[in-house]
Every structure is written in structure tokens, then in C-alpha cells.
Amino acid sequence: MTTKNIVVVGAGYSGVSATKYLAKKLKKDNDVSITLIDRHSYHTMMTELHEVAGGRVEPEAIQYDLQRLFARKKNVQLVTDTVTAIDKENKVVTTKQGSYPFDYLVLGMGGEPNDFGTPGVKENGFTLWSFEDAVRIREHILATVAKAAIEPDAAVRKAMLTFIVCGSGFTGIEMIGELIDWKDRLAKEFKLDPSEITLKVVEAMPTILNMLGRNDAAKAERYLKAKNVELVLNAPIVEVAPDHIKLKDGSVIPTHTLIWTAGVKGTTDAADFGLETARGNRLIANEYMEAKGYEENKIYIIGDLVFYEEFPNTPTPQIVQAAEQTGHTAASNIVSDIKGGEKHKFKGNYQGFMVSIGSKWGVANLFNTIHLSGFLAIIMKHIVNLKYFFDIRSGYYMFQYLMHEFFHIKDDRNVTRGHSSRYGNVLWSVPLRIFYGLAWLLEAFKKIVGDGQWLKPSTWFGEGSWFVGDSVFPWTWDYQTAADAASAASGTDASSAASGAVDAGTNAVESVAHFGLSYAYGEEPMAVIEKAPDWFVSIMKVFMPNMEVAMFFQKMMVFIEIGIALALIAGLFTWLFSATTIVLVATFCLSGMFFWVNIWFIPVAFALMNGSGRAVGLDRWVIPWLQRTLGKWWYGTPKSMYGQK
């Protein structure tokens, strides 16, 4: 059987989405091969470039290795290379390192900054459209502030500490937002007064954030002004020099840093492919995302590279939502062509727009009806980003995103204002962890020793312990009731026997909950919940239908407590066992046999989830080892290049 070759060029949002869709829908088609070609071995989360450029997260936080993204996708071949030519008639993609025949070709090479021919932008400005751009800006800002700190000339110093963003779209406003957050840290690190650092947004239009409604944009404008950001509107830049910019009205603003975010166009790499182009170097496609004039050649255009007018004079916007949707349209049409079925027309479904202005504040317009600002807008942006990881089925990078954005953050630069950051000294929680483990161990051994003597193991497992005869439940509600009910199995009808066994099992469940600490006090302890809810009892009856099962659970619970105790003392899997404690105590509370005097078990468990096992604990070595070992087993070893023998 002849193999059908699908080649996808570009691992941006559209390329990854298209490849994921194809891999899923064609996973059982052994005669289909999918090749994803990109010049990098990773996918860049373009919407978070400003976080790297602005020093909020480390560069690797927005790099997503392609092998991890396509783990277990046996029908996807990854190639790290640069496409140099496309033979449309013979259907061959040529790269610097080789060539790849195709039956279907998907071009998702994305866009690049559009400087509109403004003199000096390429030589003296900084663009923000790639991972390399973000790192370059970050390093430049650090170096420039360091030099400014020791610059004796006041005018030069002021120019060096003036940072200008050209363009007030989403990218520009998000970039200036990061500089707002970073300013105080930069000033402190280089012994400057924060007021010495000047931030400006220069915009050719009279308004900012023109993809948002005017009310939302006005909120953003007020916030920027409150943060001392100067908005220079109606001011096209006509020249960028190393130490200043010149505006159309002839005025000059001294600066050593101009970040250009004023426009985007299709990548110039695609200009040599011989496909019909529209404005901004974008390649024209029809409603099926097929390249104009090459429909029979099975060539598709997606993402920022595609020019398709869903409405007159309104091409698909160069945003993530459109990129993913054009990718899905092209991929679904390829699947339909291979398997048979109707073609799918592109229909844009843009569910809203949102922009972050720093890590703690933003504005959002959802479905053109819901308008959010501040804290809620940032939460919504995080939710949207998490949904993206769900869409591409990457639980690993979803977890990494949560770590970078909420826990591995410095200078309080997250939506929780640093309260969720793990960058605290967890050493002082070690005594609490050991004490907590000893408390668990003590409670477990009380159930083993019973009425015996602590220093004489020969007296253990005797009268009063949880492991023998009629004294199995010495501290429960009413063991005699359970015993009587169990004995009802002899000399009564079948229904009474079944009922007795169920009730005995229920009482057994309730007995598991009791820790024994309560009777150290001189008064009857108060239960958190006086009586187990009916729904909880019903569930427990399923798990413990008779006395034998209940006995097994009772014994097993003691060994679980011992295991939790030893793990906490050693600092092994502290987060996991602390979370387990919370679940167990919640279950005990529902059983009606957990007392308020012991409720401290829950907040202590939460406190120990702060990474305390990594301070004088085995987690310091075990967790990193597991991450490396399991990551290599599941994903393989990440490489700087793919497709090389």
C-alpha cells in the first residue's frame, strides 16, 4: 500500500494544532506518515514572550520541546531544519539538510515584525516576535541599566534609563506592563531610584488597544498613567538612531532602547515559494485553507501566514485563536480527503480578547458581553493558557506552566502577589514536619499496643488493640451494636443477616476514624460531624459490605498511618503524603468520629505542602531523580535538533 506523506512546515500555534489533530485522527492509518519541520526543536509560547523579555520568568519557561509535545505519537516524525524551496509540481519540500516528498503540504511558518520600512529599526531597534528576540531584549535591558548606574553624564544616563515601546497593541502593552513590574527590581539591584527609570509608549494612532472596546481600553490607559507610563499618541516614528528616536512632528526622544511591536507580516521565507501573496506578504488561501491556484496540489496555508477574507476587506486576524482554527480547518480537510467526507469551510470563532499589563492587572473582553479588569482578567488569561495545554494534550507543560507562573516566581510577580511562591525559607518547617510524623506514628502504635505495655512487644496485639477478637473496636460509637448485628447472621432470616453485616461494616468504617488523642482531656470531645451523612454511609457500605472487609480496612489503616509517619519524618514524598492526610482526615470527619481537638492535622498538612521535604529531607534528591527518570522514560531525551541520524 502506498504511503501518503503529510508535511507540516512550522511548529507555531497553527502547526502544532494541525499536527496534533492529524496525529489523532489518522493514528490507525498505517499508510499515513506525518512530518513536522521547524527550524527549532521547540514550540515557543509566543503570547508569553513579554514575560521573558521583561525578566519575569526564565527563558525556558516558554520553550516547549517538540518531542515532549508529541510523545507517543508514532505517526509523527520531527525534523529540525529550515525549508529553502518547494517544488509544487513534483510535490517535494527541500530543506538545508534534505528533501521530503509530500501528498499534502501545510505551511504554517508564521509571521515576522513589520517595520514598514522605517529607517533604523533593524539596526538600532528591538523586535519582539521570537524566543531569540525576547532573550536579546532581556539581556540588553540588564546591560543598559548596569551601564547607566555608573554613567556620570546626567543626560546620557537619562537616555539610557528611558525605555520606549513602539505600538500599543497587545504585544506592546504587555511589554510595557512587564517593565512596570520589573522597574523596582532593576532599580534595587543596580542601586538606582525607581523614579530615574522612564517608560513610554509611542503610538501612531490617537488611541491604544484598538482591538478592544473603548471602555476596556480606557481602563488600561488609566492604569498605565497611574503607573507613570507616558503615552505619546498620534506620533509615528520616522527614524530610530542608537541613542534617540525621531517622531513625524520632528521631535526627538533620547533613548537607548526602542522595542518595536507596531506590526506583523507574513514571513519573508515564504516569499520565494511562488505562491500568490496579498498585503503584508501573506499567502492567499480559499475557505478550505487551500493555497490559491494550487488546490489540486494539496497545499494548505494556516496561521499568521494565511490571507483569507472571511468578510470583505477583513482577513483572518493574526492572533492565536485564528491560528489554531485555521490549523484545524486545514487538518480536518486533509483527513476528509484521505478518509472520504465533506470539506470543512473556515469559520472564525473568536471568543474574546485579553491583555495583561504586568503580572497582577489586565483587561479582558469575553464574547463581547463580559468585561473584566484587574485580578479577574489575569485569572481568565491563565485559564485560557491552561486550556491551550489541554487542547494540545500536554499535561506535562500544563504543570510546568503552573510552576513558572504561580510557584517558581520572584519579586511577587504573579497574580497572587507572591503569596503562592515557593521562594521562601522552608528550613524552619522541618521541626514541624518531624513532629507531625511522630504524631502519626504515635497514633498508629496506640492501636497496636492497646492495653499492653509500650516497652514490652509481647503484650502488643492483645486486649484493647485493633487486631484481636471482641476488642477490635474499643473506642468506636457502640461496638456491641455491631457485634449483635453481626451475630444476627445465625438464627435469623437472610435479610437480617445481610443487614447485620452491613451495619457492622458501617461501624467498622466509623471506628477507623478515631485517632485516640481526644481522651487526653477531661471532658467528652466534640465530633466535627455528629453523625455520618447518609450518602457517605451508603458509599462506605459498598466498600465494606461485611465484618471481614471492615476488619481488613482497620488493619490496613494502621499500616498506612505508619507509612505516612515514616515518610513525613524522612521528608519523602512530603507533598503527596500531606495531601493524603487531608483526604483521610476529611473522610474521618465525614464518618462522624473525628474530633475538633485533632482538627489541627489539616492546617499542618497544608503547611507542609510548601516543599518542606526538600529541606533536610529525601525529597531533595528523590523528586529531581524521579522527574529526570520518568521524563526520560516517557518523553525520551530532548535534543537540540530532530530528524538527524
Side-chain angles (χ1 to χ4, degrees):
M1 184 178 292
T2 304
T3 299
K4 295 182 177 65
N5 296 308
I6 304 172
V7 176
V8 181
V9 181
Y13 288 104
S14 60
V16 167
S17 296
T19 306
K20 283 277 187 177
Y21 185 93
L22 290 167
K24 178 182 178 181
K25 296 297 182 180
L26 300 173
K27 63 182 178 181
K28 295 182 179 179
D29 294 71
N30 295 325
D31 60 333
V32 175
S33 173
I34 305 167
T35 301
L36 175 61
I37 305 174
D38 193 273
R39 66 180 61 187
H40 299 298
S41 62
Y42 54 84
H43 165 63
T44 301
M45 196 168 188
M46 298 282 288
T47 56
E48 310 304 311
L49 286 172
H50 57 279
E51 295 189 14
V52 172
R56 192 203 309 188
V57 301
E58 295 305 311
E60 61 270 17
I62 65 168
Q63 274 188 336
Y64 305 135
D65 182 75
L66 293 178
Q67 185 166 276
R68 289 187 183 274
L69 289 179
F70 291 95
R72 302 299 193 270
K73 303 297 183 186
K74 302 297 184 183
N75 54 352
V76 177
Q77 176 190 3
L78 301 175
V79 175
T80 306
D81 208 342
T82 299
V83 173
T84 57
I86 297 174
D87 186 335
K88 298 179 287 297
E89 283 68 36
N90 295 315
K91 306 185 79 171
V92 176
V93 172
T94 302
T95 68
K96 289 182 178 180
Q97 305 295 327
S99 59
Y100 300 86
F102 68 86
D103 295 286
Y104 302 89
L105 175 62
V106 182
L107 296 177
M109 302 168 69
E112 62 184 40
N114 189 352
D115 61 16
F116 306 103
T118 305
V121 173
K122 288 184 175 65
E123 299 81 5
N124 304 311
F126 296 86
T127 56
L128 186 56
W129 199 255
S130 70
F131 175 81
E132 293 83 2
D133 287 346
V135 173
R136 183 167 164 249
I137 291 171
R138 180 194 187 106
E139 293 175 346
H140 167 80
I141 290 174
L142 285 168
T144 301
V145 175
K147 292 177 182 177
I150 56 175
E151 173 57 53
D153 187 303
V156 174
R157 180 188 179 100
K158 181 175 177 59
M160 296 176 75
L161 294 176
T162 297
F163 300 94
I164 297 178
V165 174
C166 173
S168 67
F170 291 167
T171 303
I173 295 303
E174 290 187 328
M175 183 67 241
I176 205 70
E178 294 302 325
L179 294 179
I180 292 171
D181 284 358
W182 201 14
K183 183 171 71 171
D184 287 344
R185 162 55 63 179
L186 289 169
K188 181 179 180 180
E189 187 171 340
F190 295 103
K191 301 179 182 179
L192 298 168
D193 190 311
S195 63
E196 294 184 75
I197 299 176
T198 301
L199 305 178
K200 297 177 184 282
V201 175
V202 177
E203 169 58 51
M205 302 289 288
T207 54
I208 69 170
L209 292 172
N210 293 301
M211 290 187 73
L212 290 178
R214 289 303 86 203
N215 287 337
D216 293 325
K219 293 177 184 177
E221 186 170 341
R222 288 194 296 271
Y223 181 82
L224 290 169
K225 289 180 177 178
K227 295 296 181 179
N228 298 315
V229 175
E230 183 181 346
L231 300 178
V232 185
L233 306 179
N234 276 320
I237 296 175
V238 296
E239 182 185 347
V240 179
D243 59 357
H244 69 271
I245 62 170
K246 183 180 290 186
L247 305 182
K248 188 176 182 179
D249 62 6
S251 60
V252 172
I253 303 177
T255 182
H256 289 215
T257 307
L258 184 280
I259 302 173
W260 185 275
T261 67
V264 61
K265 61 182 180 181
T267 178
T268 53
D269 292 344
D272 299 328
F273 294 164
L275 300 171
E276 187 170 343
T277 62
R279 63 178 182 267
N281 283 348
R282 298 170 72 178
L283 305 182
I284 300 176
N286 62 18
E287 66 269 33
Y288 305 112
M289 297 297 110
E290 298 168 325
K292 184 178 180 181
Y294 293 93
E295 293 85 354
E296 297 301 318
N297 300 71
K298 312 296 184 184
I299 298 176
Y300 296 80
I301 316 295
I302 60 176
D304 288 347
L305 190 60
V306 68
F307 185 95
Y308 166 64
E309 292 184 337
E310 189 175 6
F311 306 101
N313 300 315
T314 308
T316 53
Q318 290 166 301
I319 60 175
V320 173
Q321 294 176 74
E324 293 182 285
Q325 291 167 26
T326 55
H328 284 155
T329 298
S332 64
N333 285 325
I334 291 173
V335 172
S336 295
D337 193 70
I338 292 174
K339 293 190 169 186
E342 294 292 325
K343 284 186 175 182
H344 302 273
K345 293 183 179 181
F346 173 80
K347 184 173 179 59
N349 180 23
Y350 311 124
Q351 299 173 346
F353 302 96
M354 57 193 69
V355 56
S356 62
I357 308 178
S359 58
K360 309 177 187 72
W361 204 92
V363 290
N365 179 356
L366 308 177
F367 310 108
N368 289 321
T369 57
I370 301 174
H371 301 272
L372 304 174
S373 61
F375 171 84
L376 292 177
I378 296 295
I379 289 294
M380 184 54 62
K381 181 173 182 180
H382 286 306
I383 291 173
V384 169
N385 286 340
L386 291 172
K387 180 182 179 298
Y388 172 69
F389 295 114
F390 178 80
D391 290 341
I392 63 174
R393 301 298 188 268
S394 180
Y396 175 82
Y397 281 117
M398 179 184 289
F399 176 79
Q400 293 300 318
Y401 177 85
L402 290 171
M403 291 297 104
H404 287 300
E405 293 292 338
F406 291 93
F407 303 108
H408 296 170
I409 206 76
K410 295 180 180 178
D411 300 326
D412 299 342
R413 292 179 67 177
N414 64 7
V415 70
T416 66
R417 299 180 181 271
H419 291 294
S420 61
S421 175
R422 277 192 57 204
Y423 284 106
N425 196 331
V426 297
L427 178 64
W428 311 119
S429 64
V430 172
L432 178 63
R433 191 192 77 218
I434 295 173
F435 168 78
Y436 195 51
L438 290 172
W440 268 108
L441 197 60
L442 177 65
E443 291 310 308
F445 268 95
K446 280 184 179 180
K447 294 160 189 172
I448 295 174
V449 174
D451 293 337
Q453 298 182 43
W454 285 84
L455 300 180
K456 291 185 177 181
S458 61
T459 65
W460 297 356
F461 304 101
E463 197 70 24
S465 78
W466 278 32
F467 292 91
V468 295
D470 293 341
S471 298
V472 173
F473 308 124
W475 300 297
T476 57
W477 283 359
D478 185 0
Y479 169 67
Q480 190 60 46
T481 300
D484 291 344
S487 66
S490 59
T492 58
D493 58 29
S495 62
S496 297
S499 176
V502 168
D503 290 341
T506 302
N507 283 333
V509 174
E510 292 161 348
S511 71
V512 170
H514 189 49
F515 276 75
L517 287 177
S518 307
Y519 288 101
Y521 299 88
E523 60 183 26
E524 182 71 18
M526 180 182 295
V528 175
I529 297 178
E530 293 296 335
K531 185 178 182 300
D534 292 341
W535 61 268
F536 180 77
V537 173
S538 299
I539 294 174
M540 289 298 100
K541 285 179 179 179
V542 174
F543 289 101
M544 300 183 186
N546 55 54
M547 181 65 72
E548 287 73 19
V549 175
M551 285 286 295
F552 170 77
F553 271 97
Q554 281 219 101
K555 294 176 181 179
M556 183 181 68
M557 183 57 63
V558 175
F559 292 108
I560 289 175
E561 290 180 10
I562 293 173
I564 291 174
L566 296 176
L568 290 172
I569 292 170
L572 179 64
F573 301 128
T574 310
W575 194 97
L576 176 63
F577 283 114
S578 295
T580 302
T581 296
I582 295 169
V583 174
L584 287 176
V585 173
T587 304
F588 296 163
C589 289
L590 287 170
S591 74
M593 284 302 294
F594 194 85
F595 303 100
W596 281 110
V597 293
N598 295 330
I599 203 67
W600 60 272
F601 270 73
I602 292 180
V604 170
F606 274 113
L608 295 179
M609 293 171 74
N610 68 345
S612 61
R614 293 182 181 240
V616 196
L618 295 179
D619 282 346
R620 180 177 179 85
W621 299 279
V622 173
I623 298 301
W625 179 83
L626 276 177
Q627 290 172 335
R628 290 193 303 270
T629 304
L630 294 178
K632 185 175 182 179
W633 169 72
W634 185 258
Y635 297 110
T637 302
K639 303 173 184 176
S640 59
M641 296 181 68
Y642 291 115
Q644 308 300 310
K645 303 247 177 145

